[in-house]
Amino acid sequence: AASAEAVWDVLIDGASWPSWDSGVDAVEGRIAMGETLKIRSQAAPGRAFPVKVTAFAPPARLRFSGGMPLGLFRGVRTYEVSGDAGGEVAFRMREEYTGPLLPLIWRSMPDLGPSFQRFATGLKQRVESGG
């Protein structure tokens, strides 16, 4: 119940993520093309995940990429915001993992489904509240 631009504005304000996503402790850095961020999440307490903004197409697509050197493990998270002429706005989030170490790392990774749901729900509530 908001415009794609309103969703985008909240999405790219990384400093505010902890106020509406209970799974994020901090986002350090500026969300803009080519910038490197550090995301601290409750999925891995005490650890910062460095990611690079590899796609930035307002108000439709944002992509973070990160991982290990030499492509041993790579994670890519894509956020998409789309709207139609009727005013319906959809938000989609996808994470893809690749690399030769994926089978080893995959076994130790927590189920991220609940954290993705919290993120989407928090984003929706923040955008719709006008906060």
Side-chain angles (χ1 to χ4, degrees), residues 32-88:
M33 187 62 196
E35 295 288 326
T36 298
L37 312 169
K38 287 184 182 173
I39 299 176
R40 298 182 187 279
S41 78
Q42 293 182 3
R47 183 168 173 222
F49 292 95
V51 296
K52 185 171 185 172
V53 179
T54 55
F56 190 88
R61 180 178 299 227
L62 174 62
R63 179 174 295 138
F64 298 157
S65 301
M68 300 173 78
L70 307 174
L72 294 173
F73 176 78
R74 179 175 169 81
V76 177
R77 182 174 293 181
T78 304
Y79 305 92
E80 293 180 325
V81 180
S82 59
D84 64 23
E88 291 289 319

Side-chain angles (χ1 to χ4, degrees), residues 9-27 31 37 39 62 64 77 79 93 119 123 126:
D9 288 345
V10 172
L11 187 61
I12 65 165
D13 181 9
S16 75
W17 284 18
S19 70
W20 53 264
D21 179 6
S22 62
V24 173
D25 292 328
V27 176
I31 298 177
L37 312 169
I39 299 176
L62 174 62
F64 298 157
R77 182 174 293 181
Y79 305 92
M93 180 170 44
F119 186 94
L123 177 63
R126 175 63 174 252

